[in-house]
Amino acid sequence: MSVVNSLLKFFQEGGLFMYPILFLFAAGVAIAVERWLFLTRERIVSRSEWERLMPHLYQGDFLMALEQARKSRAALANILVLGLNRVQKKKSPESVEKVMLQGLMEFVPRLEKRTHYLATLANLATLLGLLGTIVGLIQAFTAVANADPAQKADLLSASISVAMNTTAFGLLAAIPLLLIHSLLMSKTTEIVNSLEMAAMKLVNLLDEKEEAPDGEQHP
């Protein structure tokens, strides 16, 4: 209970600026949780779809792979559908690659959606903390100016200590948000790279099929 009481006292002594900082932190946590769940699900689903479609692709059964991919709403499947549609129309591997990369570019904003807000919220929390400290210091010096000279030093030190609470709380909110932002961006990059790799594997399979002698079977 002493820790809880200390935290409550710390928050209450920080003044009004503690509340907007807390709101920013709560909003950042909500965004982080939603994005983390979305990206985790997208990675798992895409990996599952690739494992399901891979046998058909490596066997050269692109029609079956297309039919299976159409049944899924995963990003990987949607991107492969674009490419496999071109394959069925006898388009070149370069054309297949181009249409899949276009599909990937359309999907990337969905992966990055709202993630950049975390950095903005972290910066705002830090700035609000500094602003709260400055306002607190102004109030402290104003109050001390009219105080008894013998008490000025004690009043000033106590007031400065309280004023610094907002800066500390702003940093406590900002640091985790920045770390989470970095993790989410790393996770997003990992997913994008995996989608690009899947698209390139399909293009390579098409190249191998075109270069192979007639009638030769490929794994």
Side-chain angles (χ1 to χ4, degrees):
M1 288 299 292
S2 60
V3 176
V4 175
N5 291 334
S6 299
L7 291 175
L8 288 175
K9 183 179 179 182
F10 169 82
F11 186 85
Q12 291 170 352
E13 289 180 346
L16 294 177
F17 282 91
M18 302 290 272
Y19 293 95
I21 294 173
L22 179 61
F23 173 78
L24 293 175
F25 180 68
V29 169
I31 292 173
V33 170
E34 185 272 332
R35 287 287 86 193
W36 185 271
L37 293 175
F38 175 82
L39 294 175
T40 300
R41 175 186 175 279
E42 199 61 48
R43 184 177 63 176
I44 294 173
V45 171
S46 292
R47 183 177 298 172
S48 175
E49 285 302 313
W50 177 251
E51 292 176 353
R52 188 168 66 92
L53 297 174
M54 185 172 58
H56 302 299
L57 295 175
Y58 278 94
Q59 291 170 9
D61 192 353
F62 298 123
L63 180 59
M64 178 60 69
L66 176 59
E67 292 176 356
Q68 293 295 321
R70 282 174 173 167
K71 298 177 182 179
S72 173
R73 307 179 86 178
L76 174 66
N78 293 336
I79 291 171
L80 290 179
V81 165
L82 296 174
L84 292 170
N85 278 328
R86 288 291 180 95
V87 173
Q88 297 305 312
K89 295 177 181 178
K90 308 299 182 181
K91 300 294 183 178
S92 66
E94 291 77 13
S95 176
V96 173
E97 178 182 0
K98 182 178 179 181
V99 73
M100 286 193 295
L101 290 179
Q102 288 176 344
L104 178 60
M105 291 176 63
E106 293 176 359
F107 179 69
V108 167
R110 287 178 54 193
L111 294 176
E112 298 177 343
K113 188 177 181 181
R114 287 186 292 275
T115 301
H116 63 281
Y117 290 153
L118 294 175
T120 302
L121 292 173
N123 290 330
L124 286 174
T126 303
L127 293 174
L128 281 175
L130 291 173
L131 180 59
T133 294
I134 292 172
V135 171
L137 291 175
I138 292 173
Q139 293 174 345
F141 282 110
T142 301
V144 169
N146 300 320
D148 184 272
Q151 299 177 342
K152 281 188 176 182
D154 292 337
L155 288 174
L156 185 59
S157 62
S159 299
I160 290 176
S161 176
V162 171
M164 295 300 290
N165 285 3
T166 52
T167 295
F169 190 54
L171 292 174
L172 286 173
I175 292 172
L177 293 181
L178 288 175
L179 288 174
I180 295 171
H181 174 265
S182 178
L183 289 173
L184 290 176
M185 291 304 298
S186 176
K187 202 175 183 70
T188 299
T189 301
E190 179 184 345
I191 294 173
V192 172
N193 289 340
S194 67
L195 296 177
E196 289 179 345
M197 183 64 67
M200 290 301 101
K201 285 183 178 179
L202 175 57
V203 173
N204 290 337
L205 289 173
L206 294 175
D207 286 334
E208 291 176 5
K209 183 178 180 182
E210 286 191 350
E211 295 172 358
D214 292 340
E216 183 176 337
Q217 297 296 322
H218 293 276

